[in-house]
Amino acid sequence: MHAEHLTLALPDEAATLALGAALAAHLRPGMVVWLEGDLGAGKTTLVRGLLRAAGESGPVKSPTYTMLEVHPLSGLHFYHFDFYRFNQAEEYLDAGLDEYFSGSGICLVEWPDKAAPYLPAADMRIELQLAPAASGEGRIAGISAATDRGRACLAGVRSSSSPPPA
């Protein structure tokens, strides 16, 4: 199996929210999505766009302090994790979070590297980076798909009206 990749320019917050909405339309039960990037790169903004498109009308905040925010929507459970505060990967096991990854919920994981090697492999990885200073305020999103579910989702995002390729 091979991974597929797509790079998108996200010139502003609206484009990041739109990418999240495009992802929401193509995610399937049981998927694991890793969200990578520095602080302030837009990971939670992307999740906010995704959850809004899935029907969330309540607050969508970073789970940096709670580690997990649960959003039951449209018959699915979206689990938004943030492992930024982990000092050791074993904290993932100590917290008993592995049970969330064995069902049909969709797991959106910020800072997945902090829980490696215990975290299940990603169907999709999304890396958000600040655009080079010369190009303005935006972000660059690199999306990689490593499983059949991930590739199907990526194909849907590619064919949607999401932001243009970078």
Side-chain angles (χ1 to χ4, degrees):
M1 292 229 203
H2 67 287
E4 290 187 27
H5 188 81
L6 174 64
T7 301
L8 298 172
L10 305 172
D12 54 26
E13 182 178 353
T16 304
L17 293 168
L19 175 58
L23 285 164
H26 302 288
L27 290 174
R28 296 293 168 251
M31 285 186 73
V32 176
V33 179
W34 289 7
L35 303 164
E36 300 170 312
D38 291 334
L39 287 171
K43 297 178 295 293
T44 299
T45 299
L46 179 75
V47 170
R48 186 174 300 116
L50 188 157
L51 292 173
R52 290 276 182 258
E56 178 61 77
S57 58
V60 176
K61 57 189 190 269
S62 172
T64 299
Y65 293 100
T66 59
M67 237 184 313
L68 169 64
E69 292 286 330
V70 178
H71 300 271
L73 304 167
S74 307
L76 277 176
H77 281 80
F78 289 83
Y79 302 111
H80 182 195
F81 297 91
D82 186 329
F83 299 141
Y84 178 73
R85 294 172 52 84
F86 281 4
N87 292 312
Q88 298 177 22
E90 288 74 19
E91 291 178 62
Y92 168 81
L93 297 176
D94 294 343
L97 299 173
D98 50 326
E99 67 187 60
Y100 290 97
F101 291 85
S102 60
S104 61
I106 295 172
C107 296
L108 309 167
V109 184
E110 296 188 35
W111 301 96
D113 57 309
K114 299 272 194 162
Y118 305 110
L119 192 63
D123 293 291
M124 293 184 76
R125 293 175 63 184
I126 302 171
E127 183 178 0
L128 295 166
Q129 298 177 5
L130 296 173
S135 65
E137 296 274 327
R139 311 277 191 271
I140 303 294
I143 307 171
S144 298
T147 66
D148 288 341
R149 287 188 301 198
R151 283 187 283 281
C153 184
L154 181 60
V157 169
R158 194 184 304 266
S159 67
S160 74
S161 60
S162 61

